Amino acid sequence: MGRVTTTDRRTALRAGAGLVAGGAFAAGCSAAGAVAHPAPSSRPSSPPAAPAPRRFPGRPAQLAHGPRTHPRVALTFHGQGDPAIARALLAEAERHHARVTVLAVGTWLDAHPDLARRILDGGHDLGNHTLHHLDINSMTEAGARQEITGCAERLRRLTGSIGTWFRPSRTPTATPLVTRVAQEAGYPHVLSYDVDSLDFTSPGAAVVARTVLTEIREGSVVSLHFGYDDTVAALPVVLEELDRRGLAAVTTTELFS
């Protein structure tokens, strides 16, 4: 599968997604005698700690969307897969001045630890999507706790924080047991979504874009994935149409703030 989409393909995708004009988606050296200064320490300074989870009073334990009264949406990505695709998606979002939320799988962070800081340095949210990306709702309490805290420990080691959000793996919503275990691990809210792009089914970039843009509205939280070329090709179309509609793509923390 190709890694880079061309301008021609992007134009074709807009047409396939119904986004053509009027389409369906309306709406140093020192000088002699100079005072000598101590040599800088060779030890690099530690990066600032990442933001910690926040409690949003009045909001339920499980969040599927933000306020419907502000022109903001959150694009959230399940973090695993080819790191080159992850970097391409982050760069495309930043080109459009968009901020996204990445829910990272712990083993993916083990394999690509530099991506944690890359995400944060781009101004994006970084959260917990369990350690191994297994069916967490079917696990025992001990198993679910290990999955959540295992990923949290990796996030803390890499960034100084357990991340801003927790999203359960292989399910859009968490059981009461998983919700409680996540709260005990330090996550006041479980992050779900109200728009599923279905990009993991590889339906084609035009279908991914059309699915998102048909369902998205103020306050929406969109589920997307790293690791799929369709998502790379669809994202510019989605972001351009969001710009046209006046919908700002912000981090999930900003969406609920």
Side-chain angles (χ1 to χ4, degrees):
M1 292 184 290
R3 287 281 184 262
V4 179
T5 58
T6 64
T7 301
D8 290 342
R9 185 181 176 194
R10 184 176 299 169
T11 301
L13 289 171
R14 289 198 193 91
L19 298 178
V20 293
F25 298 114
C29 293
S30 297
V35 177
H37 295 280
S41 172
S42 60
R43 179 182 299 174
S45 59
S46 298
R54 288 176 54 185
R55 182 180 302 278
F56 294 92
R59 297 283 177 185
Q62 201 143 198
L63 300 171
H65 63 80
R68 299 298 192 186
T69 53
H70 302 292
R72 299 182 295 188
V73 298
L75 305 181
T76 68
F77 290 83
H78 302 243
Q80 65 175 350
D82 186 343
I85 292 180
R87 291 189 177 92
L89 287 164
L90 292 169
E92 186 63 31
E94 291 157 13
R95 191 174 72 82
H96 286 266
H97 308 289
R99 298 293 176 260
V100 304
T101 299
V102 179
L103 293 312
V105 175
T107 53
W108 186 71
L109 291 173
D110 287 341
H112 312 289
D114 59 304
L115 281 173
R117 185 50 55 181
R118 168 65 184 89
I119 292 163
L120 294 172
D121 287 348
H124 311 289
D125 270 1
L126 177 62
N128 180 330
H129 196 36
T130 75
L131 181 56
H132 295 101
H133 201 259
L134 305 173
D135 182 3
I136 194 167
N137 281 348
S138 68
M139 293 182 172
T140 64
E141 180 172 344
R145 179 172 287 106
Q146 184 175 6
E147 282 294 307
I148 296 170
T149 60
C151 186
E153 289 165 0
R154 282 152 175 82
L155 285 165
R156 191 192 303 278
R157 184 175 68 243
L158 291 170
T159 73
S161 165
I162 64 171
T164 47
W165 298 96
F166 166 72
R167 172 172 285 169
S169 48
R170 297 190 180 274
T171 176
T173 59
T175 62
L177 183 151
V178 171
T179 300
R180 174 174 58 80
V181 172
Q183 291 174 331
E184 291 170 354
Y187 302 96
H189 304 280
V190 171
L191 182 61
S192 184
Y193 46 87
D194 65 324
V195 177
D196 190 348
S197 70
L198 300 175
D199 56 350
F200 63 93
T201 66
S202 298
V207 175
V208 172
R210 185 166 62 245
T211 299
V212 172
L213 292 168
T214 297
E215 300 180 15
I216 200 169
R217 60 192 180 105
E218 288 85 350
S220 283
V221 177
V222 184
S223 172
L224 295 150
H225 293 75
F226 287 166
Y228 296 90
D229 287 315
D230 285 352
T231 315
V232 180
L235 188 60
V237 178
V238 170
L239 291 171
E240 287 165 16
E241 177 63 11
L242 292 180
D243 286 344
R244 196 188 68 78
R245 296 184 191 181
L247 291 173
V250 299
T251 67
T252 311
T253 299
E254 291 172 309
L255 184 70
F256 287 100
S257 297

